[in-house]
Amino acid sequence: MSKGIVLLAAGGTGGHVFPAEALAYKLRDRGYSVHLVTDSRAERYAGKFPADEIHVVPSATIGSKSPVAVTRSLWTLWSGMRAAKKLIARLKPVVVVGFGGYPTVPPLMAATRLGVPAMIHEQNAVMGRANKALASRVQAIAGGFLPEGGGQFPDKTVTTGNPVRPAIIEAAKVPYSSSNPGEPFNLVVFGGSQGAQYFSKAMPTAISLLEDGLRDRLRITQQVRPEDMGMMSTCVAQLKMAADTAPFFTDMAERLAAAHLVICRSGASTVSEISVIGRPAILVPYPHALDHDQAANAAALAATGGAKVIPQAELSPEKIASILTHVMNDPEKLARMAAAAKQAGKPDAANLLADMVEAIAARRTIAEFKGKRA
């Protein structure tokens, strides 16, 4: 018999959906029914999401200064709130948990108005706008990189780390294996759930600058946006690269486990997954992030020695080629970075977050929860 329904709310990007998915597995193992509220963007992730049911409620972000656009967004949010209230009244969840992104706002606002226990999980080192809007209303805040007892709401903030998917936990069992000079070198390049046009342009040029012996060693997995696939396919053919390119890899956990080096953006889920598996990385924060959250995430891993952070403006194809030349000839350095990244990982984050969810569902205070943890 189910202990009750837990309603998870997440924006439709991998960075929001993946941690929610990891928590969902843990909650189902503990006897809860799980429902997900998200938006249509999450369809490519939600197919494997362990939810009894997936719901879509109207939502919008207020990103425009146009009075007409703002009015339209406010109307959509109001409609979403009404829909979320009806959904919560029907499901009667024991707790509602938000993972950020504007689709979380209506269900979390509705929950707090209806007196249903609610909490949020912030994946990044800097709190996003949706979670900022909700933080004062919820009973608890779990943080992937937020400092324990820090920020604007120290009394209800707990650093849990970011939950990672079961596939990542499995991949973490694979020890890092160095690639010695002359041996194949597995390079994984990706830009988060939306891909990264910059990597599609920079990587082929960088690889063309490598010496033949190094280029022949490379085995590349690169996530490429659909609109860039034609360009990348041409470059792969011209350079005779040993490369797998696709807009999305369903087996990315296994590919990360086999990687000797990762070059990627520094979204919270990405940084957490790399550290749990324990792989050396070159992190290139998305330069247009509103809150510079990716730079803060990257800095947290770089501080442990598990990654090197390079701003996109400073990462020319020539620099990428230079970095690859250096690290492909220095497997010991990469092994040290891999060990440092693994040390920083929080593989038990999903269990800790599930503990926190159960505490809030039981209407215990964060002080009580922290006391039991101690």
Side-chain angles (χ1 to χ4, degrees), residues 309-361:
V309 182
I310 305 178
Q312 181 173 302
E314 299 175 14
L315 192 64
S316 64
E318 291 77 12
K319 186 158 189 173
I320 296 173
S322 175
I323 290 170
L324 288 174
T325 298
H326 176 70
V327 299
M328 289 175 73
N329 288 311
D330 192 356
E332 291 183 1
K333 178 178 181 178
L334 290 182
R336 289 193 299 271
M337 290 178 67
K342 186 96 170 178
Q343 192 71 27
K346 290 185 169 64
D348 203 40
N351 274 320
L352 179 55
L353 183 59
D355 290 344
M356 193 172 171
V357 170
E358 288 196 289
I360 299 306

Side-chain angles (χ1 to χ4, degrees), residues 218-354:
L218 278 176
R219 305 291 183 271
I220 303 168
T221 289
Q222 183 161 343
Q223 182 198 36
V224 180
R225 301 187 314 165
E227 56 266 41
D228 296 334
M229 279 296 295
M231 175 184 67
M232 277 298 296
S233 296
T234 300
C235 292
V236 166
Q238 288 178 345
L239 291 171
K240 298 180 180 178
M241 294 162 53
D244 284 339
T245 58
F248 187 73
F249 291 96
T250 57
D251 61 344
M252 183 58 90
E254 291 87 346
R255 291 172 183 267
L256 287 172
H260 296 111
L261 178 68
V262 180
I263 300 178
C264 60
R265 294 296 193 204
S266 51
S269 287
T270 295
V271 174
S272 298
E273 291 182 353
I274 289 171
S275 59
V276 167
I277 295 175
R279 296 299 178 263
I282 304 297
L283 299 177
V284 188
Y286 180 60
H288 306 299
L290 289 175
D291 300 312
H292 303 291
D293 53 339
Q294 290 207 5
N297 299 339
L301 184 55
T304 72
K308 182 175 177 61
V309 182
I310 305 178
Q312 181 173 302
E314 299 175 14
L315 192 64
S316 64
E318 291 77 12
K319 186 158 189 173
I320 296 173
S322 175
I323 290 170
L324 288 174
T325 298
H326 176 70
V327 299
M328 289 175 73
N329 288 311
D330 192 356
E332 291 183 1
K333 178 178 181 178
L334 290 182
R336 289 193 299 271
M337 290 178 67
K342 186 96 170 178
Q343 192 71 27
K346 290 185 169 64
D348 203 40
N351 274 320
L352 179 55
L353 183 59

Side-chain angles (χ1 to χ4, degrees), residues 16 100-101 122-134 291 293:
H16 297 310
E122 174 56 57
Q123 297 87 50
N124 293 292
V126 177
M127 189 172 283
R129 288 176 294 168
N131 277 345
K132 277 182 182 176
L134 297 166
D291 300 312
D293 53 339

Side-chain angles (χ1 to χ4, degrees), residues 115 188 194:
V188 175
Q194 305 302 315

